């Protein structure tokens, strides 16, 4: 198993409240794809996730057409502030990249830089974890990569994600 995979055991993890006073947490909505693509594009260092806004829009469209796996609509959320999507967590039924890994998989979690520092990432992760647990999932996994910030690494560790042995 690659060392960049993390997993939370949902049945044995205390999940914090997904409530957030800064923004509304709503089900992921394809109608907000442009807002989501803009937040996605700005959330990563230049060229790390998408080289351009157009590429970010293509990647968001690919998410909604299930090219990265079957999106779990009841476990994927977006943060909306003043009518604009400013962050999201996208969970698929299972990873299309790691065949030996079963269970829900976070394909992306991001927050636009202007909205970081308001607990959105923590709330999005908690909402996804709680939804997956309520649906009977035992684990929730994700991959960290080059563009994963030290703050995101801390956030995942605090939420109970550990390297998969």
């Amino acid at each position: 198993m690659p060392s960049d995979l993390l997993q939370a055991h949902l049945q044995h993890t205390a999940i914090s409240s997904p409530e957030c006073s800064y923004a509304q947490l709503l089900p992921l909505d394809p109608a907000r794809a442009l807002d989501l693509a803009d937040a996605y594009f700005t959330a990563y260092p230049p060229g790390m996730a998408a080289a351009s806004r157009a590429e970010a829009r293509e990647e968001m469209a690919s998410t909604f057409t299930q090219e990265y796996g079957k999106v779990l609509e009841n476990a994927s959320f977006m943060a909306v502030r003043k009518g604009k999507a400013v962050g999201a967590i996208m969970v698929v039924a299972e990873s299309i990249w790691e065949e030996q890994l079963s269970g829900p998989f976070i394909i992306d979690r991001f927050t636009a830089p202007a909205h970081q520092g308001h607990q959105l990432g923590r709330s999005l992760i908690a909402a996804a974890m709680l939804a997956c647990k309520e649906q009977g999932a035992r684990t929730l996994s994700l991959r960290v990569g080059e563009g994963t910030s030290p703050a995101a690494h801390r956030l995942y560790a605090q939420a109970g994600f550990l390297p998969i042995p």
Side-chain angles (χ1 to χ4, degrees), residues 29-106:
D29 182 358
R32 301 284 186 114
L34 291 179
D35 280 353
L36 289 164
D38 285 344
Y40 171 75
F41 178 69
T42 62
Y44 292 96
M48 188 60 64
S52 66
R53 287 190 191 280
E55 188 177 303
R57 289 180 180 134
E58 288 173 20
E59 289 191 30
M60 201 57 54
S62 294
T63 297
F64 287 116
T65 58
Q66 317 286 330
E67 290 182 40
Y68 303 124
K70 182 185 181 317
V71 175
L72 294 179
E73 295 175 10
N74 49 5
S76 298
F77 300 92
M78 60 185 184
V80 176
R81 170 122 170 120
K82 296 183 179 179
K84 185 174 181 177
V86 298
I89 190 163
M90 300 165 179
V91 181
V92 293
E94 51 189 27
S95 172
I96 63 168
W97 302 281
E98 303 301 326
E99 294 175 10
Q100 71 277 23
L101 189 63
S102 64
F105 188 85
I106 298 171

Side-chain angles (χ1 to χ4, degrees), residues 123-163:
S123 296
L124 288 164
I125 290 169
M129 290 176 75
L130 186 60
C132 288
K133 183 176 183 175
E134 288 175 348
Q135 293 166 46
R138 293 179 177 267
T139 61
L140 179 60
S141 305
L142 60 91
R143 167 172 267 142
V144 290
E146 269 182 60
T148 307
S149 70
H153 280 280
R154 285 190 301 277
L155 184 61
Y156 296 136
Q158 291 167 355
F161 285 86
L162 300 169

